[in-house]
Amino acid sequence: MTTLQDTEDASETDLAKHDEEDYVEIKEQMYQDKLASLKRQLQQLQEGSLQEYQKRMKKLDQQYKERLRNAELFLHLETEQVERNYIKEKKAAVKEFDDKKVELKENLIAELEEKKKMIENEKLTMELTGDSMEVKPIMTRKLRRRPNDPVPIPDKRRKPAPAQLNYLLTDEQIMEDLRTLNKLKSPKRPVSPSSPEHVPSTPVENPSQRYEARIEEGKLYYDKRWYHKSQAIYLESKDNTKISCVISSVGTNEIWVRKTSDSTKMRIYLGQLQRGTFVIRRRSAA
């Protein structure tokens, strides 16, 4: 009985050892298979034929191409924007250059015209007042020198400088004064009682009458009234002409008015308003 039990225990021990050896063998086989698979994947990775590697590389390539396309689009848009700005700045520079060139030409023409007008006025003034500007020689009596008298020493004093004209009036004021001088210098004919000139006429404005006119802070003070830009007025002249105007601008020594009939502009100086050459009256703007 004891012998049979020992035999059964020995059989069970051998079976357990056999199962354990099989498990170890199977585990070793699994390890070898997994190791072989990893080596095979590593070999495929090095060769570039691994499926997972190819899949990820394809995804990276798509991302790279997308970024490259976006960069090219951004470059194209930025280039177009820079070209548009360049064309815009170039046109603005050309326009500014043309405007400055026209302005410079107009300023030079106006300056030359002003100089030309001044020269013509000087010539006209010299022609009209030439007789009064001529230096007449002083008549002196020369006595005969006696034999014992000393030889006279010539006078070496400096000769007087020629007279110069300093214009403190405007061109219009000078021309008006010259016309007044010409009227005063013209000879008056005797008037007979029966002639038309003897008939009494309407009283003429006194030339010595003065009006108060000045410009302060861009406004005109005339005849105890203030006038400003865009104000509707009546402009009366010495020949009783009445013109409907609007003050277009107020300068430092003159005003510009625009006729409502034909929109032409006139320049009126303070001196003309002070002397009564032109008279300003208010009118309704309606």
Side-chain angles (χ1 to χ4, degrees):
M1 189 65 180
T2 303
T3 304
L4 180 61
Q5 186 175 359
D6 294 336
T7 303
E8 289 178 356
D9 292 338
S11 298
E12 290 178 359
T13 302
D14 293 339
L15 182 60
K17 288 181 179 180
H18 185 269
D19 291 341
E20 185 177 356
E21 289 177 357
D22 290 342
Y23 174 76
V24 172
E25 186 178 354
I26 292 172
K27 190 174 182 180
E28 180 68 21
Q29 185 64 35
M30 290 176 61
Y31 170 74
Q32 292 295 333
D33 292 342
K34 190 172 183 180
L35 181 60
S37 176
L38 290 175
K39 288 182 179 181
R40 186 171 58 255
Q41 291 180 6
L42 179 60
Q43 182 66 26
Q44 291 177 354
L45 179 61
Q46 292 176 351
E47 294 175 355
S49 59
L50 184 65
Q51 185 176 1
E52 183 68 20
Y53 170 76
Q54 291 179 352
K55 183 179 179 180
R56 294 189 180 185
M57 281 297 299
K58 185 177 180 180
K59 186 177 180 180
L60 288 175
D61 186 65
Q62 290 178 353
Q63 293 177 356
Y64 164 73
K65 291 181 178 179
E66 184 69 19
R67 289 188 63 182
L68 187 62
R69 188 175 67 87
N70 292 336
E72 291 178 352
L73 290 175
F74 180 75
L75 175 63
H76 181 68
L77 293 176
E78 287 292 326
T79 304
E80 289 184 350
Q81 182 67 25
V82 170
E83 290 179 353
R84 285 195 296 267
N85 291 338
Y86 165 73
I87 294 174
K88 183 178 179 181
E89 290 293 334
K90 184 178 179 181
K91 289 182 179 179
V94 171
K95 185 177 183 302
E96 183 179 1
F97 172 74
D98 294 337
D99 294 342
K100 291 291 185 181
K101 183 169 63 175
V102 172
E103 182 181 0
L104 176 61
K105 185 176 180 180
E106 291 178 353
N107 291 338
L108 289 176
I109 291 176
E111 184 178 351
L112 293 176
E113 290 291 339
E114 188 69 21
K115 290 181 179 180
K116 179 182 177 183
K117 187 184 298 183
M118 291 179 61
I119 293 174
E120 291 176 353
N121 291 335
E122 289 179 2
K123 181 181 178 182
L124 180 60
T125 304
M126 293 178 65
E127 290 178 354
L128 294 175
T129 61
D131 54 346
S132 61
M133 292 179 61
E134 293 179 356
V135 181
K136 298 181 179 180
I138 301 175
M139 300 299 296
T140 58
R141 295 179 60 189
K142 293 184 178 180
L143 301 177
R144 289 181 297 175
R145 186 171 57 87
R146 297 179 179 179
N148 296 328
D149 290 340
V151 178
I153 301 174
D155 188 4
K156 295 184 179 180
R157 288 179 298 178
R158 183 178 298 176
K159 296 182 180 179
Q164 296 182 354
L165 297 177
N166 295 324
Y167 294 98
L168 300 178
L169 302 177
T170 61
D171 299 340
E172 287 79 2
Q173 295 173 355
I174 294 175
M175 296 302 296
E176 184 179 356
D177 293 341
L178 290 176
R179 287 193 293 267
T180 304
L181 289 174
N182 291 333
K183 291 180 181 179
L184 295 176
K185 290 173 63 176
S186 59
K188 297 182 179 180
R189 295 178 300 174
V191 180
S192 60
S194 60
S195 61
E197 289 82 353
H198 188 69
V199 180
S201 58
T202 57
V204 181
E205 186 179 2
N206 186 5
S208 62
Q209 183 179 0
R210 304 285 293 184
Y211 291 85
E212 184 178 4
R214 66 178 185 271
I215 294 177
E216 294 181 2
E217 298 179 355
K219 295 181 180 180
L220 171 66
Y221 181 79
Y222 173 75
D223 196 17
K224 299 180 181 180
R225 290 178 180 268
W226 287 99
Y227 296 86
H228 55 82
K229 182 181 177 181
S230 303
Q231 184 171 354
I233 60 170
Y234 285 116
L235 185 66
E236 300 178 3
S237 59
K238 285 186 175 181
D239 55 357
N240 295 327
T241 302
K242 190 175 184 180
I243 306 173
S244 176
C245 304
V246 176
I247 300 177
S248 60
S249 64
V250 180
T252 57
N253 194 32
E254 77 282 342
I255 65 170
W256 285 87
V257 297
R258 175 173 52 82
K259 298 180 181 179
T260 56
S261 58
D262 54 2
S263 297
T264 57
K265 290 186 177 182
M266 295 175 56
R267 180 166 60 178
I268 310 299
Y269 289 92
L270 287 178
Q272 295 174 327
L273 295 175
Q274 293 170 353
R275 294 193 304 272
T277 305
F278 293 101
V279 179
I280 293 179
R281 307 292 183 194
R282 287 189 176 181
R283 69 179 179 89
S284 175

